[in-house]
Structures are given as structure tokens and as C-alpha cells.
Amino acid sequence: MKSSKSSVNLVQFFWFYVQTQIGISIMTLPYNIYHDAKTDGWISIIIAGMVTQILILLIWSLSIRFPNQNLYELFEKLVGKVLGKFISVLYIVYFLIIAAFVLLVFNFLISVWVLSKTPDIIKIPLFVIACLYLLNSHVQIISRFMVIVGPIVLLTPICATYAFFDSEPLYLLPILTSSWFEIGKGVMSASFSMQGFLIVAILHPVVKGSNKEKLLAASYANILVTAIYTFTIIASFIYFSPGQFEILPEPLLYMIKTISLVLIERIDLIFLALWSVVVLATIVSYLYMASIGMATVFNQKKRLLFSSISSLIITILALIPQNVLTLRHFSTFINYVGSFFIAVIPAFLLLYAVLFKRRAPREHT
């Protein structure tokens, strides 16, 4: 039996998924997707959500064949220890790169909007230390934190609703002016925002519930994330003119900045401060996946050391000097490489498992 400290209920699993997937992308996604698919970008994000649902089914189908193994243990069960550990190392590097990129983008945002004169050598380590404090807790504690942070995620559509009071819906017309190739490029731009679903394969063994319940929880989480992204993108498209999108890399923050209340000014700074907790949760999730992989590769039950190593690695990567152009190239690279990790490898492994009838003994399913 799993100990209470190593188990996660379905509600915690739902919010763990949401926090992993939504992250920092909500700030820059409307801008990035507009440059690929123009005002048809909302179609791209809906298609990306559908593709993600298919990939969730793929990952779920693979996980239920080995219900007591996480993603890394599953690799070794399917293709042997040597090749399995090699694939695990690739995924560990991949998760660390994503965590470092999220940290880089967040550091860039707070440098532009809030702490322009505070050196990175101060900001980045302090933020990572906060992540490390949570990361060294049991998975149940981390999951509870994800639930607590959940309502902050819902602030995004609430704030975006303001756009509908001072908007121009005609900016969305005519629909399908972009080619399907351009819409497809928009789907690729959105893929980074959807890659967090791999948490399903990591948490599957410790989630309490039937296989069907786990699939439904992940599916509902994906629907919520897709709906939030779609709503935010549409709100941005009808609030800013096409010309403005060329010069507004963070349209959501600029939209919130225009909101003015009697007692509160600069709501954008308050929002950014609250959203930093969501970003922390996202980074913790990716570091958790990486540290679980390190512990599995080195056959260790405790991941305290590996959590520290993972945190140190992303801190060093984030401190490497970057500019906006480099970040965009890095984002494009992750989008294309990510498709290999989120689609190609899982699809190949599932095909291999089906063809060679590889699964855990029937009594454990």
C-alpha cells in the first residue's frame, strides 16, 4: 500500500496538472501565436488542446499497462535498463531545460515590469530557493500547494473579461484569413504551453482512483487550461488592434494595466506578484519530474539530493546572459524538440508495447 505521504487524490492531481501546464505562457502566448496565425490564433489553441487530449490518451494507455511504474520505470520495463536509463536521462534534461526557460522568461518579465535595477544574481537564486523549499516536501504536500494556488489561475479569465467592456469584436474578422499552414504554425507555438501533460505519467502510480477516474481528471484539467488560453487569446485579439500586437509582447499585462479602480492602481503589478506563485508552482512541477527521474536512474528512493542538483542546474542556466531574440529562438527550439518527447517517443513505446504484448502481470492492473 502507498503511504498517505506518497499518495495524491483526484482533485490534487487535477490542479497539479493545471499548474504544470499553464505557467508563464499565458503572458506571451497571445503575442507568439498572433505572429504565426494572426487573429486565427484562437483556432490554433483549440486544435492544440485537441491534440493534447489525444496525447493524454496515448500516455494514459501506456501508463495503465504498467500501473505501478512511473514514466522512468516504465522505460526500463519496456526497453531494458540500459536503453531505458538513456531515454530517462534525455527526459531529465528536457524537463530541466523547460524549467530553466520558464525561469528565464519570468525573470525577464519582472526585470521589465518591476525590478529593473535588481541584478539577476539576486533575483534568480532567491526564487529558486523558494522552489527548493517546496520541492523537498512529500508529493502530497506539493499537491496541496497546487490546490491552494488554483484560484490564482482563475484570475486570468476574470481580468481578461475586462477586455469585453472596451473591445472591437470586428478585429477577429474575417475568420480563416490565415492559411492552414499558418494555423499549424500557431499550433506549434502553442505546444510549449501544453507540454505539462507528461505529469500524468509521473503521478499515475501515486494517484488514488481508478484508471478511468485518472483519465477524466487529466481530461478535465486539459479542458480548463485550453479554455483559459482560448478566452485570454480572444480577449487580447479584440482589445488590441493588429498593429498594436506588433509592439506588445505581453498583451495580457498591458490589458490589465489599463484597469483602474478607485482604491487600487497598477493592478498589473499586483497580478504579476500573484502570478509569480503560479510560476513557482510550474517550476516546482518540472523540477519534481526531473528529480524523480534522477532518483530512478540512480536507484535511490530519496530525491533530496537530486532536487538540490536540479535547482542548481536551472539557476546556472538562467544566469547565462540572454536577450529577447535568444529567448524566442530558444522557445522555437523547445517547441520542435518537445514534439519528439511528448509525441514521438510515447507513440513508439506504446506501439512497441502493443506489438510485443508488454504489460505488468494482470493481477496488478
Side-chain angles (χ1 to χ4, degrees):
M1 293 180 63
K2 303 180 185 69
S3 68
S4 59
K5 291 183 179 180
S6 63
S7 59
V8 176
N9 64 41
L10 292 170
V11 173
Q12 293 168 340
F13 176 52
F14 172 91
W15 284 109
F16 210 128
Y17 180 106
V18 172
Q19 300 296 349
T20 305
Q21 200 163 19
I22 204 160
I24 193 67
S25 302
I26 196 72
M27 303 294 179
T28 57
L29 182 59
Y31 174 83
N32 293 334
I33 210 167
Y34 175 83
H35 279 263
D36 288 324
K38 298 298 185 276
T39 53
D40 290 323
W42 61 274
I43 300 176
S44 297
I45 198 66
I46 292 175
I47 294 174
M50 294 177 178
V51 172
T52 301
Q53 185 59 41
I54 294 173
L55 295 175
I56 289 173
L57 285 169
L58 190 155
I59 288 291
W60 176 80
S61 300
L62 195 57
S63 296
I64 62 174
R65 302 183 77 88
F66 298 92
N68 295 321
Q69 275 76 44
N70 61 40
L71 181 67
Y72 304 102
E73 294 168 333
L74 187 149
F75 293 152
E76 296 184 22
K77 289 286 184 179
L78 280 175
V79 297
K81 284 193 174 183
V82 176
L83 183 56
K85 287 185 183 296
F86 175 73
I87 298 175
S88 294
V89 170
L90 293 180
Y91 271 85
I92 292 167
V93 173
Y94 168 66
F95 290 140
L96 289 175
I97 288 175
I98 292 182
F101 181 74
V102 172
L103 183 57
L104 271 170
V105 175
F106 179 70
N107 179 63
F108 177 78
L109 281 178
I110 62 175
S111 296
V112 171
W113 286 80
V114 187
L115 304 173
S116 58
K117 295 185 179 180
T118 305
D120 292 347
I121 194 66
I122 301 296
K123 291 179 294 184
I124 291 176
L126 284 177
F127 195 77
V128 174
I129 288 172
C131 295
L132 184 60
Y133 179 79
L134 179 62
L135 187 62
N136 287 331
S137 305
H138 293 286
V139 64
Q140 190 180 71
I141 302 299
I142 299 175
S143 301
R144 288 173 179 172
F145 177 80
M146 300 297 185
V147 176
I148 294 172
V149 177
I152 300 178
V153 173
L154 302 179
L155 284 177
T156 302
I158 293 173
C159 292
T161 302
Y162 174 79
F164 291 88
F165 295 100
D166 185 19
S167 62
E168 180 51 78
L170 293 178
Y171 287 153
L172 290 177
L173 300 177
I175 297 175
L176 290 177
T177 53
S178 302
S179 66
W180 284 106
F181 175 76
E182 291 171 325
I183 292 175
K185 287 180 63 179
V187 174
M188 287 300 299
S189 293
S191 65
F192 174 76
S193 306
M194 298 292 194
Q195 292 182 26
F197 70 87
L198 287 172
I199 194 66
V200 173
I202 301 293
L203 292 181
H204 189 273
V206 299
V207 177
K208 294 183 290 187
S210 66
N211 289 327
K212 181 179 179 181
E213 289 173 333
K214 296 174 187 178
L215 174 61
L216 287 175
S219 300
Y220 291 149
N222 179 58
I223 291 172
L224 175 63
V225 171
T226 304
I228 290 175
Y229 278 143
T230 304
F231 186 82
T232 303
I233 286 173
I234 291 177
S236 300
F237 285 173
I238 65 175
Y239 190 78
F240 297 108
S241 67
Q244 289 175 311
F245 257 96
E246 301 293 336
I247 57 174
L248 298 178
E250 299 94 30
L252 178 62
L253 285 176
Y254 283 101
M255 185 195 309
I256 297 174
K257 186 178 180 180
T258 62
I259 301 175
S260 179
L261 302 179
V262 176
L263 298 178
I264 304 175
E265 289 292 339
R266 293 306 303 269
I267 295 179
D268 55 309
L269 300 184
I270 298 174
F271 178 85
L272 192 56
L274 290 172
W275 200 259
S276 65
V277 183
V278 177
V279 175
L280 183 147
T282 302
I283 294 175
V284 166
S285 184
Y286 279 106
L287 289 178
Y288 175 78
M289 290 191 280
S291 62
I292 287 289
M294 291 180 182
T296 303
V297 168
F298 291 99
N299 298 317
Q300 299 293 321
K301 292 183 178 180
K302 296 184 178 180
R303 54 181 179 82
L304 176 60
L305 174 62
F306 304 112
S307 298
S308 302
I309 293 173
S310 300
S311 301
L312 179 61
I313 291 173
I314 70 163
T315 301
I316 294 172
L317 291 176
L319 285 173
I320 298 174
Q322 304 286 342
N323 55 45
V324 177
L325 185 60
T326 305
L327 288 177
R328 289 177 186 170
H329 288 319
F330 196 14
S331 176
T332 302
F333 172 77
I334 292 176
N335 288 338
Y336 285 97
V337 172
S339 62
F340 182 75
F341 288 97
I342 67 178
V344 177
I345 292 180
F348 174 79
L349 291 176
L350 180 60
L351 180 62
Y352 177 84
V354 171
L355 291 177
F356 293 93
K357 300 180 180 179
R358 303 295 300 274
R359 63 165 60 243
R362 184 67 65 178
E363 61 267 23
H364 294 300
T365 59

